[in-house]
Each structure stands twice: as C-alpha cells, then as structure tokens.
Amino acid sequence: MKKILYYTFITVATWTILSCDSGFDELNTDQTRATAIDPAFELNNAVLGLRYSSLIYDMGIVQQIISPNSGVLTGANYNQDNRDASDDIWRNYYRDVIRYTRDVTRLTEDKPERKNLFNMTRILQACAFMMLTDAYGDIPYFEGGQGYPNSVFFPAYDAQQEVYTDIIAELTSATAALDAGAKIETADVLYGGDITKWKKFGYSLLLRAGMRLSKIDAAKAQQVVQAAFQGGVITSLVDDAYIRCDANYTNPMGGTLNSTEANNFFLAEPFVNFLKSNNDPRLKSIAVRYMGAASGSDQKPGVNDNTDPTVQNGMPLGHDNNTIKPIAAAAGLTSFYEYSQVDRTRMTKLASPYYLVTSAQNHLLLAEAAQRNWITGDVAQLYNTGVTQHMLQMAVFDPNSAVDPADITTYLTDHPFNPANALEQINTQYWVASFLNGPEAFANFRRSGFPALTPNPYPGTEVPGAFIRRLTYPNSEISVNSVNVGDAISRMGADNLATRVWWDKE
C-alpha cells in the first residue's frame, strides 16, 4: 500500500511539474520586444555611417583647411603619420557601414520582393568600399565585413585592381537591376526609396570609378564612363546624394568645429587665395574672419565675425602654433586666431548636409570626359554648368550662403572656359566643388594632379615624396591581422604616407 501511494505521489508531482513548465517560456518572454528588424533600417544605419570627418588628413592634404596645432590634430598639417587619426575611416566604415551592408545583402539576396533593397545596399556598399580603397589601397574586400555571417575574423587583403574591377561590376549590375515596379523601400533615409534617384546615384558612382582609372587604364576608363553616362547620372541639385543631418545625427565636421576644436582649424592660404584672386562669390558663402581675435575665446559669432571676401586671409602652410605667430603679426593680424575659418554658423553647422555625390562634381567629370573624347558633349557648357551648380549648392547649406545668380553670370563671364588649359581648369574647379568632401577632393587631386599645389613646407616631414598619397593601415590591423597586412604591403610598397595606390600612377 505504501508503494502504491509513493508511486502515485511521484506521478502526480511529475505531471504537476510538467504542467507548470508548459507555457513557462511564453510566460517569461517579453511580448513587446522586437525579435527581428527590417533590414531597411540596417541600410539606414549604413547610410548614416558614411559620415566621416576628413579635417585632419584629406582636407589638409588638398590645402583647404589646416590646423597649426599638434597632438590629436597632427596629420597633414605636419606631414606626419598619426595613426590614431588616419584609421578613423577604416574603423567607422568597417564597423558602421560594411557590417550593416553585408547583413542586409545576406537577408535580402534570396527575397525577390526586396530586390530593390538588395540592390540599393550593393550600391551603397560599393560607395563605401571605393572610399576605403581610395584612402588605403589594398583592403579586405571579398572577405571584409564577413566576421558575423561567416566567422572570417582575419580577412585577406585584395589588390586594389581587383577591388575596383568588382566595384565596377557591382555598380553596373546593381544599378541596372533596380526596378520601379517592385516594392519601394520608403523607409530609406537617402532617397525615400526613389528608384530613379537611386539609379542616378549608382551611375554617378560608376562615373567616378571610371574616371579614377584615367591614368592607369584609359581604355577601361572610357568604357566605364560611357556606360555611366548612357545610364544617366545626377545632373540636378534635387538629385544630389547627401545625408540629411540633424541634432541627433550630426554632421561630423560640424560636430568638431562647433565644440572642442572650434578655434583650431583655419582655411588654408592656397584655397582662400584662389577664391579671392578670382573674385569667386563662393568665398563670401564659405569664409568668416573674427576681427581682432587674440585667442580662441575672442572668436564670437555675431560679435566680431566678418564675411567680407576682401578681408579674408588664409593660414599659410608649414607652421606650428609657435612659428605661425610672427607670420600672423607680419600680416597685420592680432594673432593667428584671426585667420579665416569656414563659417561654422552657416557651412559647418551640426545639421549641415553631408554630401556624397553632387551634380556639380558630375558635370565637371563629364566635361573632362568630353574633353578626352570619351563622350559627346559641349565641354564648355558642361564646365559652366558644373561651376554654376556648385555655386547654387551653397544655399543648401544655409540661406545666408546663397550666391546671387548675377554673381554667377559675372564670374563665368570673367573666367571663361579655356580649351588650351582644359584639364587644369576643370579639375581645379572640381577641387572647389568638393570642398567639405575631403575623401573625394583628395582622390581627384591624386588622379588629376590638379590644382597645381605647392607641397607643404613643414620641416621634419615624415613624407618621402612631395605629397601624402594614401593613409597608413591602422595599428589594430597590423597587430591582429599582421599576415594579411604584410601581404598587402608586399604588393603595394612600404606602409607609409608616400606610397601610391594602384590607380595613382606616376
């Protein structure tokens, strides 16, 4: 009898435990917590991740913005290798762009109903990889960003020629595959899913990729440029590709220039002098000088700021914050804090747009392509439109930076296109049109050789050549992925600031 009661108790207890356990998972599951995310939102994260502050290297190399200060700001100003600064684009892009684009393509490649999202992401990924390889040369491409989906933690580095070959293939394929009849990805923060605009963006990047090859493979460059031109690139301001920044997703240069480094970056003398000597109306849109400023705290917007082009004075290169003092005094300035700066209340606000590709840039590239007889078109008209579009673009930054249409007409009349000096004139204007887009200004300067800048004369340079030609690999890669970094160096040459990337042929 005791045994019967014992076994009955065990059976009831077991049944009770099992009954209580059933539904236990449901009871302990948060019914309000998301278990999946729409990959369109990951694409948006990738778009926002493209924001990159290029103040320390890119814009200093092309002599548009410079700082006399060392420490964390050391870079192009001293022609020195500061790997804490030069790895910014590497760290941000692999972590915040490529990681997301890899995941979106993984989640959408087998879903025909999301074909537009899949191909939009391929275009954006190609944009990011192009900026990475232009900066460093050989990079992890085919295995880059594959840590999460495929456990590739030590990715191989691919030769830049192979990277560009695949970027061109990806842009060609993805752009052609966009379908206005398929699902429109309205959550997209770049173009709201507008397929026509995404196609123009894709072909604009293809145009840019083709022009990169002009020194290394002119025949291939012509083929790619023709395909982009026939596909249809961005030719209107309303189609420009730019990230709409706000108080939550700020412009990175605006963040820097409106906080700790507000007083430490200045417009470089070559840039100011070019605009000033040509009576370029954009100087008034861009520049400000804080009259009589004896220190950073004396730079007071709304008090001693002056945007008159005639008083602007760019900072000479080749000086630190001690040697610049007598130079400023000799120029009649109270201190070096009185040199002209980019106006952070208009051009580099926290909410200033972050441009990726513009109509102005495209018209100037097409002008060069027409000059080379790669496409048909009126070179002078394309050139004039490129200059005009950039002047009109000033108003997008701030209404107070708008250029009067009459001033545009006067400028073009006084500075007509000269076929005998076509490539220099076109690419010097591209330099101006790429202001605040440091990676593009740096890349096109290396590709075209224009504008004809004088090398930074700072003593004790760490650059064996005249100009910085690339950024060096991050220390984290050298220490963790050393074998693959070594393979890249063996192909490219020394890991220093003077080694040229593949398309930057001497």
Side-chain angles (χ1 to χ4, degrees):
M1 183 65 180
K2 290 182 179 180
K3 287 185 177 181
I4 293 173
L5 290 173
Y6 173 78
Y7 286 123
T8 300
F9 172 78
I10 293 297
T11 301
V12 172
T14 301
W15 179 85
T16 302
I17 291 170
L18 291 174
S19 297
C20 291
D21 186 60
S22 64
F24 183 78
D25 289 341
E26 290 79 359
L27 182 64
N28 286 276
T29 299
D30 185 350
Q31 300 297 320
T32 65
R33 184 177 181 181
T35 57
I37 185 172
D38 188 327
F41 298 130
E42 288 192 88
L43 174 61
N44 288 342
N45 279 340
V47 170
L48 295 171
L50 288 172
R51 294 168 299 153
Y52 159 62
S53 178
S54 52
L55 288 166
I56 293 178
Y57 273 103
D58 304 57
M59 298 193 71
I61 297 167
V62 300
Q63 301 180 10
Q64 291 178 331
I65 293 180
I66 203 75
S67 173
N69 297 321
S70 58
V72 297
L73 303 184
T74 296
N77 56 344
Y78 293 172
N79 278 335
Q80 290 180 2
D81 187 2
N82 176 3
R83 299 199 185 208
D84 288 337
S86 64
D87 74 348
D88 275 359
I89 186 171
W90 183 286
R91 181 178 61 251
N92 293 345
Y93 275 33
Y94 276 112
R95 181 190 63 193
D96 295 336
V97 183
I98 303 305
R99 176 167 69 96
Y100 288 118
T101 58
R102 289 295 196 199
D103 200 42
V104 176
T105 55
R106 177 182 66 86
L107 294 171
T108 58
E109 62 182 337
D110 295 325
K111 294 182 178 179
E113 70 277 12
R114 305 303 294 271
K115 64 182 292 187
N116 281 334
L117 181 59
F118 174 64
N119 289 300
M120 288 155 54
T121 304
R122 292 168 67 196
I123 291 170
L124 196 80
Q125 182 170 270
C127 175
F129 271 129
M130 182 155 48
M131 293 171 74
L132 280 165
T133 191
D134 288 346
Y136 298 98
D138 294 6
I139 57 169
Y141 178 74
F142 294 103
E143 293 184 354
Q146 298 285 5
Y148 167 65
N150 295 310
S151 299
V152 180
F153 302 122
F154 307 102
Y157 280 56
D158 300 291
Q160 188 179 57
Q161 182 175 4
E162 296 174 8
V163 173
Y164 254 88
T165 297
D166 199 69
I167 284 175
I168 289 168
E170 280 289 284
L171 288 171
T172 302
S173 171
T175 306
L178 290 170
D179 182 1
K183 175 181 170 62
I184 301 301
E185 302 288 347
T186 56
D188 153 44
V189 296
L190 190 60
Y191 283 128
D194 188 317
I195 295 304
T196 300
K197 292 186 177 184
W198 268 97
K199 277 184 173 286
K200 291 178 181 179
F201 178 43
Y203 284 123
S204 298
L205 291 171
L206 188 64
L207 169 64
R208 186 175 284 183
M211 292 302 293
R212 288 284 196 273
L213 308 183
S214 60
K215 285 198 299 187
I216 194 69
D217 189 344
K220 179 67 173 178
Q222 179 178 357
Q223 175 190 343
V224 175
V225 168
Q226 287 176 343
F229 178 60
Q230 291 165 4
V233 301
I234 294 168
T235 57
S236 171
L237 288 174
V238 298
D239 296 330
D240 282 354
Y242 66 91
I243 301 168
R244 291 152 180 81
C245 300
D246 59 23
N248 295 313
Y249 302 101
T250 60
N251 182 298
M253 283 177 282
T256 298
L257 298 178
N258 284 279
S259 58
T260 56
E261 306 302 340
N263 315 124
N264 295 325
F265 282 97
F266 300 85
L267 289 173
E269 185 178 62
F271 186 63
V272 171
N273 283 358
F274 176 80
L275 297 176
K276 191 173 181 179
S277 63
N278 287 288
N279 294 317
D280 193 315
R282 286 170 289 193
L283 182 58
K284 185 176 182 180
S285 302
I286 292 169
V288 64
R289 182 176 159 199
Y290 292 98
M291 308 302 291
S295 65
S297 60
D298 284 343
Q299 296 176 350
K300 298 177 180 179
V303 177
N304 62 337
D305 51 339
N306 193 328
T307 60
D308 182 350
T310 63
V311 306
Q312 302 307 319
N313 198 331
M315 178 175 282
L317 279 73
H319 301 282
D320 57 32
N321 55 9
N322 286 315
T323 62
I324 193 64
K325 292 177 181 177
I327 304 299
L333 277 63
T334 304
S335 75
F336 70 79
Y337 290 101
E338 200 179 342
Y339 279 113
S340 298
Q341 297 179 300
V342 59
D343 192 338
R344 56 185 179 269
T345 69
R346 295 181 297 153
M347 293 293 294
T348 52
K349 298 177 292 188
L350 292 175
S352 288
Y354 185 93
Y355 280 92
L356 301 173
V357 181
T358 69
S359 169
Q361 291 171 324
N362 282 349
H363 276 98
L364 292 167
L365 290 181
L366 291 175
E368 179 178 341
Q371 177 68 25
R372 293 177 180 273
N373 294 314
W374 289 354
I375 62 169
T376 57
D378 186 316
V379 181
Q381 183 177 353
L382 289 166
Y383 169 84
N384 288 337
T385 303
V387 175
T388 298
Q389 293 286 72
H390 187 245
M391 290 189 179
L392 293 174
Q393 186 184 327
M394 295 293 96
V396 182
F397 287 94
D398 192 276
N400 291 321
S401 285
V403 176
D404 190 316
D407 291 337
I408 300 176
T409 300
T410 299
Y411 181 83
L412 293 175
T413 300
D414 292 345
H415 303 87
F417 176 71
N418 179 8
N421 195 34
L423 293 184
E424 180 172 6
Q425 196 172 4
I426 290 167
N427 284 289
T428 300
Q429 284 296 332
Y430 196 91
W431 173 61
V432 179
S434 298
F435 179 65
L436 299 179
N437 186 341
E440 184 57 22
F442 179 34
N444 199 69
F445 168 65
R446 288 174 289 164
R447 178 194 72 82
S448 69
F450 298 114
L453 300 173
T454 299
N456 182 347
Y458 189 81
T461 176
E462 294 180 3
V463 182
F467 287 94
I468 294 172
R469 310 303 298 192
R470 65 180 283 270
L471 302 185
T472 52
Y473 291 127
N475 286 328
S476 57
E477 278 293 292
I478 294 171
S479 61
V480 174
N481 198 14
S482 57
V483 172
N484 290 315
V485 173
D487 289 342
I489 294 171
S490 68
R491 284 191 302 266
M492 289 174 48
D495 183 28
N496 62 39
L497 297 170
T499 295
R500 292 172 180 258
V501 300
W502 165 72
W503 53 253
D504 184 17
K505 181 181 177 182
E506 291 191 68

